[in-house]
């Protein structure tokens, strides 16, 4: 019976194709997370501007919440 120590790769990560792929995906996930956070901050900052309120006919709290949440729906696709 193998132990976990027998199947763990102990060499440099860049020589293992699976670990290279994993690290590439981790980079994409971190980048998407940072971009989502920036977009949320910008949208929340725009919601206090009088021009924004005028253009969207003074939305109430639930509509503003939906606007903020809707930009994250693309991440689910």
């Amino acid at each position: 019976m193998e132990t976990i120590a027998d199947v763990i790769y102990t060499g440099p990560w860049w020589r293992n194709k699976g670990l290279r792929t994993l690290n590439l995906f981790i980079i994409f996930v971190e980048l998407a997370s940072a971009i989502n956070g920036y977009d949320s901050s910008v949208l929340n900052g725009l919601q206090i501007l009088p021009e924004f309120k005028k253009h969207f006919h003074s939305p109430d709290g639930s509509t503003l919440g939906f606007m903020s949440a809707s930009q994250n729906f693309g991440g689910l696709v």
Side-chain angles (χ1 to χ4, degrees), residues 27-42:
I27 289 170
F28 286 130
V29 168
E30 287 181 357
L31 184 60
S33 176
I35 290 171
N36 255 349
Y38 176 76
D39 289 346
S40 295
S41 296
V42 169

Side-chain angles (χ1 to χ4, degrees), residues 2-72:
E2 289 181 321
T3 65
I4 191 85
D6 295 331
V7 295
I8 293 177
Y9 182 75
T10 57
W13 66 268
W14 57 87
R15 290 190 181 156
N16 184 307
K17 183 180 180 195
L19 290 177
R20 283 194 311 262
T21 303
L22 176 65
N23 285 328
L24 181 66
F25 285 135
I26 288 173
I27 289 170
F28 286 130
V29 168
E30 287 181 357
L31 184 60
S33 176
I35 290 171
N36 255 349
Y38 176 76
D39 289 346
S40 295
S41 296
V42 169
L43 184 58
N44 287 332
L46 287 173
Q47 288 178 352
I48 65 169
L49 296 175
E51 294 85 5
F52 182 90
K53 291 179 182 180
K54 182 179 176 185
H55 181 77
F56 289 102
H57 308 291
S58 298
D60 60 350
S62 62
T63 305
L64 290 173
F66 180 75
M67 287 178 177
S68 294
S70 65
Q71 61 103 17
N72 291 323

